[in-house]
Amino acid sequence: MNYVFPPAPQASVAVEGSEDRIPVRRIFCVGRNYAAHAREMGKDPARDAPFFFTKPADAVVASGETVAYPPETGNFHYEAELVVVIGSGGRDIAEADSLNHVWGYAVGNDLTRRDLQLEAREKGRPWDWGKAFDRSAVIGPVHPAARVGHPDKGSIRLSVNGEVKQDADLNELIWSVPEIISILSHSIALAPGDLIMTGTPAGVGPLVPGDTCVVSIEGLGRIETPIGERT
């Protein structure tokens, strides 16, 4: 087969303690999956079923890489997240079988152009311009589930320039990882290399050039993102 122009390089994320890498197929994100954050965003967590949005695979950024302040925004936010990496695909996956499809877990930061997201929300439009922009998914090395198990509790914390901004526990997720996988698979067939960013706790807020954002999850380490000048 001849391509008209060369295919884009395969997006990938690191594996903790290995030279191997995981090819990224798609990035799914769960909206408002911590009750306090749902209230922070003006929504009722007791009333909302889980919903999803996506980021392109090539939005991934490794820990330690500088992310330039993105264009067309004056309100650039951080969001600490647990990332689930799918290792075996499936459709209509039963909740009881969901964790058998997980290869591993990572620390993530769902970078957001909040002003563009909220403008789209108020107009009933898709969130893409607020969420799916270049270099908007910081994802740390993936820890194999065979080694770390399936974390359903433990600290998730984010700091900016050493000041803690988000501080919660994974057991505060409204929809658990098995539930998320099952619900998502009833709408879209999951495949190896799919990543799921599971939602962020309360305390989201702005980043500016010169900031350093650190996210840590108990048992999964930490990631660091310096923020560069506006592009």
Side-chain angles (χ1 to χ4, degrees):
M1 177 186 298
N2 294 319
Y3 292 102
V4 173
F5 43 81
Q10 171 65 57
S12 66
V13 291
V15 174
E16 178 65 28
S18 173
E19 295 298 318
D20 294 338
R21 298 186 67 84
I22 291 175
V24 178
R25 186 167 185 263
R26 297 172 292 189
I27 303 174
F28 298 101
C29 306
V30 186
R32 296 193 293 266
N33 201 23
Y34 286 79
H37 176 59
R39 289 189 288 268
E40 178 179 57
M41 299 301 289
K43 299 297 179 180
D44 182 351
R47 196 171 296 169
D48 285 344
F51 69 95
F52 302 88
F53 57 93
T54 62
K55 292 176 180 277
D58 63 3
V60 295
V61 180
S63 176
E65 291 186 25
T66 296
V67 172
Y69 196 98
E72 298 191 335
T73 184
N75 197 17
F76 180 44
H77 276 208
Y78 53 77
E79 293 190 4
E81 310 220 1
L82 171 69
V83 180
V84 179
V85 178
I86 298 298
S88 63
R91 184 189 297 275
D92 299 332
I93 298 169
E95 183 181 327
D97 189 45
S98 291
L99 295 182
N100 293 327
H101 294 262
V102 176
W103 193 90
Y105 299 88
V107 181
N109 192 348
D110 170 14
L111 298 175
T112 302
R113 297 193 286 198
R114 187 72 69 201
D115 43 1
L116 301 188
Q117 179 203 10
L118 295 180
E119 179 183 0
R121 188 183 79 177
E122 294 308 311
K123 293 180 178 179
R125 296 175 178 174
W127 287 9
D128 297 59
W129 256 229
K131 287 287 192 177
F133 55 97
D134 296 339
R135 298 177 65 77
S136 60
V138 185
I139 297 175
V142 180
H143 297 250
R147 186 185 309 153
V148 300
H150 298 281
D152 57 4
K153 61 182 178 181
S155 170
I156 176 170
R157 181 174 296 169
L158 181 146
S159 65
V160 179
N161 303 329
E163 181 179 352
V164 175
K165 301 291 188 178
Q166 293 182 283
D167 192 0
D169 195 285
L170 296 177
N171 64 15
E172 297 173 37
L173 283 167
I174 297 171
W175 299 92
S176 68
V177 170
E179 289 172 324
I180 291 167
I181 292 171
S182 179
I183 291 167
L184 185 55
S185 75
H186 279 76
S187 181
I188 294 175
L190 294 175
D194 285 339
L195 274 53
I196 306 172
M197 303 186 82
T198 58
T200 194
V204 298
L207 294 164
V208 298
D211 282 346
T212 296
C213 186
V214 174
V215 185
S216 63
I217 296 179
E218 187 175 337
L220 299 178
R222 68 199 289 273
I223 60 174
E224 181 175 306
T225 306
I227 305 302
E229 294 299 320
R230 182 184 292 271
T231 54

